[in-house]
Amino acid sequence: MSDDLAQRLREQGLRLTPQRQLILRAVEELRHATPDEVLCHVREQVSSVNASTVYRTLEVLEELGLVRHTHLSDRAPTYHSTLEHEHVHVVCRRCQKVRSYGPELVAPLVEALAADGFTMDVGHLAVFGQCTDCGTTSEQT
């Protein structure tokens, strides 16, 4: 990904910095992470990286099409790499576990909206509910 990152940055007149590489790698390794989680991960390697660098870099990486964000809670956005296939996020409101499903899960919805002239962005879709583990636990208490 470094070559792709370097090329896309150069096309925008930007430089490939160690911080940008670390932040992109963190997003790829964490799979779904808030800026604060990315910061903690990066600081395990380089303690001098600050929060504003992470936020600015995530914005740049998203503009370059290397990461995407979605809102998996009422807090900060969650970022994931575009190297992953497009997917729908399913979030348990109780334990906050996030699972990913392929776009075929919502294909009927995508098709119905397309028939009405609307193009759905599946990568930003998050469905909230309760997972089986939490459903079982709540029934026993």
Side-chain angles (χ1 to χ4, degrees), residues 91-134:
V91 184
C92 177
R93 287 195 187 275
R94 184 172 258 190
C95 69
Q96 276 67 58
K97 181 178 178 180
V98 178
R99 294 184 64 184
S100 298
Y101 292 90
E104 64 277 357
L105 180 70
V106 294
L109 176 60
V110 171
E111 292 168 12
L113 293 172
D116 197 37
F118 186 82
T119 303
M120 186 172 162
D121 182 358
V122 174
H124 276 85
L125 182 60
V127 178
F128 295 86
Q130 187 167 307
C131 70
T132 304
D133 293 339
C134 290

Side-chain angles (χ1 to χ4, degrees), residues 7-20:
Q7 179 183 346
R8 290 186 189 198
L9 286 167
R10 275 195 303 273
E11 289 170 357
Q12 298 298 317
L14 302 169
R15 293 181 304 117
L16 176 60
T17 63
Q19 293 88 346
R20 287 178 175 150

Side-chain angles (χ1 to χ4, degrees), residues 46-78:
V46 179
S47 61
S48 62
V49 174
N50 62 45
S52 62
T53 298
V54 170
Y55 277 92
R56 282 193 315 270
T57 300
L58 288 170
E59 287 178 12
V60 168
L61 294 174
E62 188 162 26
E63 288 171 10
L64 295 173
L66 297 169
V67 301
R68 297 187 74 178
H69 82 275
T70 191
H71 295 273
L72 302 181
S73 69
D74 56 356
R75 297 173 294 155
T78 301

